[in-house]
Amino acid sequence: MAARAVIALVSVADVVATELADHLERRGHDVRQARQPWEAESLLAGRGIDVVVVGDSVSQAEGRDLLRRYGGQSGGGEHGPDFILICRPADLLDKVLALELGAADVVESPLNVRELAARVGGLLSRRGRGTQELIVLENATVDLRSAIVMHRSGTQEQLSPGQVALLRLFLASPRKVLTRDDIIAAAPAENADAFDRSIDSRIVRLRRKLDTETITTIRGAGYRFDPPRQFAD
């Protein structure tokens, strides 16, 4: 089993750090925090960090210094962590300088924590360290690995193992009509009552939880998953 990706939060405001750490840890990542730039020295010097998020309470000079010292290529050719710097909207020059120094991303405050978590996830995927399987539907994003439905409203719901299996079955067969027998064979229910009309109930509950119209009932035949346009091809 691969080691968990490690994300360091350096001088990130408590309210943001708490919510961001919760998002990342629920997705299987290891989050470490340093409240002050000097505390980050030993954390980053020890290597093993994949992504560093630097808060806007750090001066831009301190943020750039951390980026110079620990980002990019190390002397041994090993690639350092990717940096995301949080900056204030007026700091355009500092934003450009950070990007020129090799910051992977610069995010303006105030920020959306879910968006920031998604940006971290994108960097981890580029490093081959991503643990998410994200499916974007009309009104929600589903992280299949953690079985979490993230609604546009900001609320989250947990999928049951049976619902994950059912969704994976539809994802593997887009635009194909699946019969009740297909579903029973490939994604059995979590109890013995898996036949006939109980399949209808499972589909209804899954549709409701995903807030989606992509799973269509084909009368007398079965069910079909029609991917959203951005998911197709």
Side-chain angles (χ1 to χ4, degrees), residues 169-170 172-183 203 214-227:
L169 176 60
F170 281 119
S173 306
R175 305 181 189 87
K176 177 183 176 182
V177 176
L178 300 175
T179 67
R180 287 186 174 85
D181 288 342
D182 291 332
I183 294 172
I203 299 296
T214 58
I215 302 172
T216 305
T217 300
I218 308 300
R219 189 176 298 276
Y223 309 90
R224 186 183 67 217
F225 172 62
D226 295 309

Side-chain angles (χ1 to χ4, degrees), residues 6 98 117 209 230 232:
V6 181
K209 188 167 282 190
Q230 68 268 30

Side-chain angles (χ1 to χ4, degrees), residues 23-28 131-134 142-150 156-159 164 168:
H23 273 277
L24 296 172
E25 287 170 350
R26 291 181 65 183
R27 286 153 181 78
T131 63
Q132 293 176 309
E133 292 180 72
L134 297 181
V142 184
D143 182 348
L144 278 174
R145 290 206 181 182
S146 59
I148 294 174
V149 182
M150 298 169 281
Q156 295 187 357
E157 293 187 78
Q158 195 79 31
L159 292 173
V164 172
R168 285 188 183 277

Side-chain angles (χ1 to χ4, degrees), residues 120-134:
V120 172
L123 293 177
L124 291 174
S125 294
R126 278 194 269 168
R127 295 173 70 94
R129 302 283 283 150
T131 63
Q132 293 176 309
E133 292 180 72
L134 297 181

Side-chain angles (χ1 to χ4, degrees), residues 69-85:
R69 296 171 61 188
Y70 300 107
Q73 294 288 133
S74 66
E78 180 183 351
H79 195 281
D82 287 316
F83 274 72
I84 296 178
L85 273 61

